[in-house]
Amino acid sequence: MHGIVELPPGIDPLESAVDGQDVAIQDITTTPRSYTVEVELTSATSWRNSCSCGESGELLCAHGAALLYRWLAQPAIFEPRIKPPAPQEKPTNRPAPAAPKPPLVRETLKADNLPNPPVSSAIRYSPDLVNILVQIGLGELRSIAREYNLTTNGLSKQQLAEQIVEAIKQPDVVRRVATTLEKPQRQLLAALSLAGGLVHDDDLRGLFERFSLGQAAQLQRALLALQGKALLFRVNSFNADLLARNNSPSNLLDIGWFVPTEIRTALRIFVPVTSFDPEQPDEHSVLPHVQSLPPMRILADLLLVARALDGMQVEPDDSWFPTMMAESEFPTVHVNSPGMGHTALLSQPNELPSAALLTALQKKVSFAPSFLRFATQILLLAGIVQRPERETPYLRILPDAARLLLGSNHADVLSDLFKLWLQSPSATELFALQEDGLRLLCRMTPLNVPVLRVGELAEENMEARQALTDLLAQAPIGQWMQFTAFSRFVYRLNPLLLQRRQRLLPAPHWWLEADADKALKPQHLGDWQRAELLYVARLITGPFHWWGLCDVALSSQGRLLAFRMTALARWLLHDVPLDLDKVQEFTQETLEVLEDGQVLLPCSARYWPIIQLFEQCAEATGVERSQLRYRFTPQALSQALSQGYQMTRLLEVLRQAVARAGQSDGSGAQLLARLERWLASYGRVRIYTGVTVVETIDTTVMRELMATTSLDEYVIRPLHPTIVVVKPTATERLSDELKRRGQSPLIHDEDLYGPE
């Protein structure tokens, strides 16, 4: 195996040294380090290691161990690379070492103290189309080449395959070939592309039937037509489910159907839309309630939640208390009565905040419990909020959380947080369905052991979330879409949105119930609307709306009627450059001074220059009325002055706030006067006790002592040109040296004469 191990900026423990006093001297760098690692497995228990860090042999270095652990955890991301034999050499059966394909993941949060997000499982992989085409007969290859107006005379299968692949990479050529398809064939190709481009036989037949594209014989004709134009490929020995997530090969299933990425990109297929007019009243003459959030607003809301969580005490009976936190990620299981069979009810996992914590949090910030759960999840994932520890049973946040979320690079942080949420396994959205009266159950063995694997629910939810995100990425921007029609299209495209893995099992490991002893079957439209439909609606009105991807139109009862994708979706889902000036949130709120001298500031990225002043010079004391609250203390002000911050701009901001308030004797004026008084009397005082001090009458005598005695060897710190602090052992020696020169120094002993 061959790979590159990259270390984030920080300290590399392998590059640390130890000096004579056993003090670690660590090499702190600001740029990532990368090491080229090669590991050759010689048997089940031995290997050879070669790394650019300098270590080699049978003992693995830390970088080689990281490569091996990555291979054990995610073998699918490693791509086998077998070099073709030279023309004059005989081919051998010995496989070449595999090399990990570098993940295409953008840079994480721009902060040294934030962890890197987990590597996305959706690593893009494009099968080798040339090898697939070479396996086709020569006659079929020539027929495909003629569809693309390619010359076939005198060309071998390899040359024909290479020419066809080059033609597929030209969007104009692909679109011209697609126009020759019949309507059912075009619809099937569009459905396959929107479904992710990867299906197997059972899913393909179901897809064809749900879209009413014809009978079984028509399906075979459509497949042959698409294959004959190299728009669809039949691939052996790959796992369709794994490919849908990883786009990487496997061998769990025998046959699958695959639409190349070049074809999907060239055809530019969009989700069908049923238009909706938010200005049109419903049957009760009530206009829909349109909800739209300012772009980047989620960053300010996350900061408010983080400040509200900072210092919050966790009760001993809370699931987040250090002694209560279970190391396992498996949710709590409540076994049902024996008459209900070997099944169990799944309760809320420990990754979600408790009801008591949400209640206490809601008293500080006026957000819905659903958003508080979501915001807490994001803050914990990014490491901005840290869970309680045994010594400190309260929540803590990073000291530079405001700079991360509202600073100059807040747009990049938003993109990184979104991708971190999208790629992180979590069962949050699944357990949120319990608020709609649904129950999550799992199968148990006769010994009451859950069949459900640890993390299985989180992986299922992550895949459903990513599938819906990929589908919304194909929706038009700025056009209102009827949710009922969109949800029906999602059902036809993929009814097993939440339980895609469960169809591969003889009996599902988990399922949803709305009524006791009646599992909901997603293949039935009625059952799908009672579970998966609610899941899709919750994602659109919840996380997707909070991220700023879409605006929503709700009925008077709060039911989702329609939604539209925003300009921010073009950036987050397609990496189209974003014009920050057009999407910046505008706020008319200003600084407010409370009666107790504390200051409230609007929580907004546009207000960041003012917030930065208070972050440097004041103490953050939480939130109030959805604003950041600060308090000036002598300690905070002294620390800011010690770090070299100038207070001119701060005083100017406070003077402007007092002038706008128009109160010369109000709380703002009192705060300004107090700060001016503190700054005028600011100074540094150092008090030394229990030290030996040498003092001379003037600087000339001090220079003479330094030149003629050993005083310079004992100086610890100079306090003044005529006063120095020396080691206690220097008293006797300096006294003897001066007496030999005929001088008698005045010695003041505190033990004999008392403090001076």
PDB file of all heavy atoms in Angstrom, residues 16 29 87 147 151 199 226 233 250 302 411 493 501 507 517 565 580 582 631 656 659 692 727:
ATOM      1  N   SER A  16       9.674  15.878  18.102  1.00  0.00           N
ATOM      2  CA  SER A  16      10.025  16.508  19.371  1.00  0.00           C
ATOM      3  C   SER A  16      11.352  15.965  19.876  1.00  0.00           C
ATOM      4  O   SER A  16      11.719  14.831  19.631  1.00  0.00           O
ATOM      5  CB  SER A  16       8.922  16.253  20.402  1.00  0.00           C
ATOM      6  OG  SER A  16       8.816  14.874  20.642  1.00  0.00           O
ATOM      7  N   THR A  29       4.785  24.081  13.813  1.00  0.00           N
ATOM      8  CA  THR A  29       4.733  24.574  12.447  1.00  0.00           C
ATOM      9  C   THR A  29       3.352  25.112  12.159  1.00  0.00           C
ATOM     10  O   THR A  29       2.384  24.797  12.836  1.00  0.00           O
ATOM     11  CB  THR A  29       5.079  23.454  11.449  1.00  0.00           C
ATOM     12  OG1 THR A  29       4.133  22.397  11.625  1.00  0.00           O
ATOM     13  CG2 THR A  29       6.471  22.920  11.693  1.00  0.00           C
ATOM     14  N   PRO A  87       5.216  -4.121 -23.722  1.00  0.00           N
ATOM     15  CA  PRO A  87       4.942  -4.908 -24.933  1.00  0.00           C
ATOM     16  C   PRO A  87       5.834  -6.128 -25.067  1.00  0.00           C
ATOM     17  O   PRO A  87       5.387  -7.158 -25.557  1.00  0.00           O
ATOM     18  CB  PRO A  87       5.188  -3.896 -26.060  1.00  0.00           C
ATOM     19  CG  PRO A  87       5.007  -2.565 -25.425  1.00  0.00           C
ATOM     20  CD  PRO A  87       5.456  -2.707 -24.022  1.00  0.00           C
ATOM     21  N   GLU A 147     -22.518   5.865 -33.897  1.00  0.00           N
ATOM     22  CA  GLU A 147     -23.449   6.813 -33.276  1.00  0.00           C
ATOM     23  C   GLU A 147     -22.761   8.151 -32.992  1.00  0.00           C
ATOM     24  O   GLU A 147     -23.401   9.200 -33.018  1.00  0.00           O
ATOM     25  CB  GLU A 147     -24.006   6.232 -31.970  1.00  0.00           C
ATOM     26  CG  GLU A 147     -24.907   5.025 -32.146  1.00  0.00           C
ATOM     27  CD  GLU A 147     -26.270   5.406 -32.691  1.00  0.00           C
ATOM     28  OE1 GLU A 147     -26.616   6.606 -32.665  1.00  0.00           O
ATOM     29  OE2 GLU A 147     -26.990   4.501 -33.157  1.00  0.00           O
ATOM     30  N   THR A 151     -14.638   7.153 -36.979  1.00  0.00           N
ATOM     31  CA  THR A 151     -14.108   6.230 -37.982  1.00  0.00           C
ATOM     32  C   THR A 151     -13.781   4.894 -37.322  1.00  0.00           C
ATOM     33  O   THR A 151     -13.144   4.856 -36.260  1.00  0.00           O
ATOM     34  CB  THR A 151     -12.844   6.806 -38.634  1.00  0.00           C
ATOM     35  OG1 THR A 151     -13.165   8.088 -39.188  1.00  0.00           O
ATOM     36  CG2 THR A 151     -12.330   5.886 -39.723  1.00  0.00           C
ATOM     37  N   VAL A 199     -27.588   2.024 -10.123  1.00  0.00           N
ATOM     38  CA  VAL A 199     -28.689   1.183  -9.647  1.00  0.00           C
ATOM     39  C   VAL A 199     -28.393  -0.259 -10.015  1.00  0.00           C
ATOM     40  O   VAL A 199     -27.523  -0.536 -10.844  1.00  0.00           O
ATOM     41  CB  VAL A 199     -30.042   1.607 -10.270  1.00  0.00           C
ATOM     42  CG1 VAL A 199     -30.455   2.980  -9.811  1.00  0.00           C
ATOM     43  CG2 VAL A 199     -29.975   1.554 -11.793  1.00  0.00           C
ATOM     44  N   LEU A 226     -30.020   2.569 -24.855  1.00  0.00           N
ATOM     45  CA  LEU A 226     -29.070   3.388 -24.112  1.00  0.00           C
ATOM     46  C   LEU A 226     -27.675   2.777 -24.135  1.00  0.00           C
ATOM     47  O   LEU A 226     -26.675   3.493 -24.233  1.00  0.00           O
ATOM     48  CB  LEU A 226     -29.543   3.558 -22.666  1.00  0.00           C
ATOM     49  CG  LEU A 226     -30.846   4.357 -22.473  1.00  0.00           C
ATOM     50  CD1 LEU A 226     -31.275   4.343 -21.019  1.00  0.00           C
ATOM     51  CD2 LEU A 226     -30.663   5.798 -22.948  1.00  0.00           C
ATOM     52  N   PHE A 233     -24.229   1.793 -18.978  1.00  0.00           N
ATOM     53  CA  PHE A 233     -23.331   0.644 -18.988  1.00  0.00           C
ATOM     54  C   PHE A 233     -23.817  -0.383 -17.983  1.00  0.00           C
ATOM     55  O   PHE A 233     -24.332  -0.033 -16.909  1.00  0.00           O
ATOM     56  CB  PHE A 233     -21.899   1.066 -18.643  1.00  0.00           C
ATOM     57  CG  PHE A 233     -21.252   1.934 -19.683  1.00  0.00           C
ATOM     58  CD1 PHE A 233     -21.369   3.313 -19.627  1.00  0.00           C
ATOM     59  CD2 PHE A 233     -20.533   1.371 -20.723  1.00  0.00           C
ATOM     60  CE1 PHE A 233     -20.781   4.113 -20.582  1.00  0.00           C
ATOM     61  CE2 PHE A 233     -19.940   2.167 -21.686  1.00  0.00           C
ATOM     62  CZ  PHE A 233     -20.067   3.542 -21.615  1.00  0.00           C
ATOM     63  N   SER A 250     -16.704  -2.721  -5.689  1.00  0.00           N
ATOM     64  CA  SER A 250     -16.793  -3.786  -4.711  1.00  0.00           C
ATOM     65  C   SER A 250     -17.299  -5.026  -5.424  1.00  0.00           C
ATOM     66  O   SER A 250     -17.511  -5.018  -6.626  1.00  0.00           O
ATOM     67  CB  SER A 250     -17.729  -3.365  -3.570  1.00  0.00           C
ATOM     68  OG  SER A 250     -17.776  -4.375  -2.585  1.00  0.00           O
ATOM     69  N   LEU A 302     -25.464  30.438  15.633  1.00  0.00           N
ATOM     70  CA  LEU A 302     -24.591  29.461  16.284  1.00  0.00           C
ATOM     71  C   LEU A 302     -23.757  30.112  17.391  1.00  0.00           C
ATOM     72  O   LEU A 302     -23.537  29.512  18.451  1.00  0.00           O
ATOM     73  CB  LEU A 302     -23.666  28.818  15.247  1.00  0.00           C
ATOM     74  CG  LEU A 302     -24.304  27.815  14.287  1.00  0.00           C
ATOM     75  CD1 LEU A 302     -23.283  27.343  13.258  1.00  0.00           C
ATOM     76  CD2 LEU A 302     -24.875  26.622  15.034  1.00  0.00           C
ATOM     77  N   ALA A 411     -17.307  33.247   5.649  1.00  0.00           N
ATOM     78  CA  ALA A 411     -17.916  32.541   4.524  1.00  0.00           C
ATOM     79  C   ALA A 411     -17.283  31.160   4.345  1.00  0.00           C
ATOM     80  O   ALA A 411     -17.989  30.163   4.115  1.00  0.00           O
ATOM     81  CB  ALA A 411     -17.774  33.365   3.247  1.00  0.00           C
ATOM     82  N   LEU A 493     -38.598   8.119  -7.285  1.00  0.00           N
ATOM     83  CA  LEU A 493     -37.180   7.955  -7.551  1.00  0.00           C
ATOM     84  C   LEU A 493     -36.528   6.980  -6.574  1.00  0.00           C
ATOM     85  O   LEU A 493     -35.721   6.123  -6.979  1.00  0.00           O
ATOM     86  CB  LEU A 493     -36.491   9.319  -7.461  1.00  0.00           C
ATOM     87  CG  LEU A 493     -35.144   9.475  -8.147  1.00  0.00           C
ATOM     88  CD1 LEU A 493     -35.283   9.265  -9.650  1.00  0.00           C
ATOM     89  CD2 LEU A 493     -34.554  10.838  -7.858  1.00  0.00           C
ATOM     90  N   ARG A 501     -30.339   0.205   3.015  1.00  0.00           N
ATOM     91  CA  ARG A 501     -29.552  -0.985   3.314  1.00  0.00           C
ATOM     92  C   ARG A 501     -30.422  -2.153   3.762  1.00  0.00           C
ATOM     93  O   ARG A 501     -30.039  -3.308   3.591  1.00  0.00           O
ATOM     94  CB  ARG A 501     -28.533  -0.675   4.412  1.00  0.00           C
ATOM     95  CG  ARG A 501     -27.465   0.328   4.025  1.00  0.00           C
ATOM     96  CD  ARG A 501     -26.443   0.432   5.133  1.00  0.00           C
ATOM     97  NE  ARG A 501     -25.391   1.379   4.798  1.00  0.00           N
ATOM     98  CZ  ARG A 501     -24.290   1.537   5.528  1.00  0.00           C
ATOM     99  NH1 ARG A 501     -24.114   0.811   6.605  1.00  0.00           N
ATOM    100  NH2 ARG A 501     -23.375   2.412   5.175  1.00  0.00           N
ATOM    101  N   ALA A 507     -34.496  -9.904   6.855  1.00  0.00           N
ATOM    102  CA  ALA A 507     -35.414  -9.220   7.767  1.00  0.00           C
ATOM    103  C   ALA A 507     -34.750  -7.926   8.207  1.00  0.00           C
ATOM    104  O   ALA A 507     -33.578  -7.933   8.591  1.00  0.00           O
ATOM    105  CB  ALA A 507     -35.731 -10.086   8.980  1.00  0.00           C
ATOM    106  N   ASP A 517     -47.366  -2.507  16.625  1.00  0.00           N
ATOM    107  CA  ASP A 517     -47.290  -3.792  15.919  1.00  0.00           C
ATOM    108  C   ASP A 517     -47.605  -3.668  14.434  1.00  0.00           C
ATOM    109  O   ASP A 517     -48.055  -4.635  13.806  1.00  0.00           O
ATOM    110  CB  ASP A 517     -48.240  -4.830  16.544  1.00  0.00           C
ATOM    111  CG  ASP A 517     -47.842  -5.169  17.965  1.00  0.00           C
ATOM    112  OD1 ASP A 517     -46.651  -5.005  18.292  1.00  0.00           O
ATOM    113  OD2 ASP A 517     -48.714  -5.588  18.742  1.00  0.00           O
ATOM    114  N   MET A 565     -34.911  27.179  -3.921  1.00  0.00           N
ATOM    115  CA  MET A 565     -33.480  27.200  -3.642  1.00  0.00           C
ATOM    116  C   MET A 565     -32.952  28.629  -3.788  1.00  0.00           C
ATOM    117  O   MET A 565     -33.358  29.370  -4.694  1.00  0.00           O
ATOM    118  CB  MET A 565     -32.732  26.259  -4.577  1.00  0.00           C
ATOM    119  CG  MET A 565     -33.279  24.828  -4.610  1.00  0.00           C
ATOM    120  SD  MET A 565     -33.333  24.041  -2.995  1.00  0.00           S
ATOM    121  CE  MET A 565     -31.580  23.909  -2.638  1.00  0.00           C
ATOM    122  N   LEU A 580     -19.904  38.188  -1.715  1.00  0.00           N
ATOM    123  CA  LEU A 580     -20.242  38.408  -0.315  1.00  0.00           C
ATOM    124  C   LEU A 580     -20.979  39.719  -0.093  1.00  0.00           C
ATOM    125  O   LEU A 580     -21.778  39.840   0.830  1.00  0.00           O
ATOM    126  CB  LEU A 580     -18.966  38.382   0.533  1.00  0.00           C
ATOM    127  CG  LEU A 580     -18.246  37.032   0.613  1.00  0.00           C
ATOM    128  CD1 LEU A 580     -16.970  37.172   1.429  1.00  0.00           C
ATOM    129  CD2 LEU A 580     -19.146  35.977   1.221  1.00  0.00           C
ATOM    130  N   LYS A 582     -23.328  40.985  -1.817  1.00  0.00           N
ATOM    131  CA  LYS A 582     -24.759  40.853  -2.109  1.00  0.00           C
ATOM    132  C   LYS A 582     -25.496  40.011  -1.080  1.00  0.00           C
ATOM    133  O   LYS A 582     -26.716  40.096  -0.972  1.00  0.00           O
ATOM    134  CB  LYS A 582     -24.945  40.238  -3.502  1.00  0.00           C
ATOM    135  CG  LYS A 582     -24.474  41.140  -4.637  1.00  0.00           C
ATOM    136  CD  LYS A 582     -24.767  40.496  -5.979  1.00  0.00           C
ATOM    137  CE  LYS A 582     -24.328  41.409  -7.133  1.00  0.00           C
ATOM    138  NZ  LYS A 582     -24.602  40.797  -8.448  1.00  0.00           N
ATOM    139  N   ARG A 631     -19.047  42.875  29.475  1.00  0.00           N
ATOM    140  CA  ARG A 631     -18.855  43.650  30.698  1.00  0.00           C
ATOM    141  C   ARG A 631     -17.391  44.060  30.782  1.00  0.00           C
ATOM    142  O   ARG A 631     -16.480  43.244  30.558  1.00  0.00           O
ATOM    143  CB  ARG A 631     -19.231  42.807  31.916  1.00  0.00           C
ATOM    144  CG  ARG A 631     -18.989  43.497  33.255  1.00  0.00           C
ATOM    145  CD  ARG A 631     -19.403  42.604  34.399  1.00  0.00           C
ATOM    146  NE  ARG A 631     -18.691  41.336  34.365  1.00  0.00           N
ATOM    147  CZ  ARG A 631     -19.015  40.258  35.065  1.00  0.00           C
ATOM    148  NH1 ARG A 631     -20.082  40.294  35.838  1.00  0.00           N
ATOM    149  NH2 ARG A 631     -18.301  39.156  34.986  1.00  0.00           N
ATOM    150  N   GLN A 656     -19.855  57.724  20.337  1.00  0.00           N
ATOM    151  CA  GLN A 656     -20.914  57.788  19.327  1.00  0.00           C
ATOM    152  C   GLN A 656     -22.220  57.206  19.858  1.00  0.00           C
ATOM    153  O   GLN A 656     -23.304  57.731  19.576  1.00  0.00           O
ATOM    154  CB  GLN A 656     -20.462  57.044  18.070  1.00  0.00           C
ATOM    155  CG  GLN A 656     -19.310  57.714  17.330  1.00  0.00           C
ATOM    156  CD  GLN A 656     -18.836  56.892  16.148  1.00  0.00           C
ATOM    157  OE1 GLN A 656     -19.331  55.792  15.895  1.00  0.00           O
ATOM    158  NE2 GLN A 656     -17.847  57.421  15.426  1.00  0.00           N
ATOM    159  N   ALA A 659     -23.735  59.750  22.136  1.00  0.00           N
ATOM    160  CA  ALA A 659     -24.287  60.875  21.367  1.00  0.00           C
ATOM    161  C   ALA A 659     -25.610  60.491  20.719  1.00  0.00           C
ATOM    162  O   ALA A 659     -26.547  61.299  20.676  1.00  0.00           O
ATOM    163  CB  ALA A 659     -23.276  61.314  20.309  1.00  0.00           C
ATOM    164  N   THR A 692      17.095  39.222  47.165  1.00  0.00           N
ATOM    165  CA  THR A 692      18.296  39.971  47.524  1.00  0.00           C
ATOM    166  C   THR A 692      18.537  41.059  46.489  1.00  0.00           C
ATOM    167  O   THR A 692      18.582  40.773  45.284  1.00  0.00           O
ATOM    168  CB  THR A 692      19.504  39.033  47.594  1.00  0.00           C
ATOM    169  OG1 THR A 692      19.235  38.004  48.541  1.00  0.00           O
ATOM    170  CG2 THR A 692      20.750  39.796  48.002  1.00  0.00           C
ATOM    171  N   LYS A 727      21.197  36.688  43.056  1.00  0.00           N
ATOM    172  CA  LYS A 727      21.001  35.417  43.736  1.00  0.00           C
ATOM    173  C   LYS A 727      21.380  35.556  45.207  1.00  0.00           C
ATOM    174  O   LYS A 727      22.304  36.301  45.558  1.00  0.00           O
ATOM    175  CB  LYS A 727      21.848  34.337  43.077  1.00  0.00           C
ATOM    176  CG  LYS A 727      21.470  34.075  41.628  1.00  0.00           C
ATOM    177  CD  LYS A 727      22.385  33.027  41.004  1.00  0.00           C
ATOM    178  CE  LYS A 727      22.034  32.800  39.540  1.00  0.00           C
ATOM    179  NZ  LYS A 727      22.925  31.798  38.903  1.00  0.00           N
TER     180      LYS A 727
END
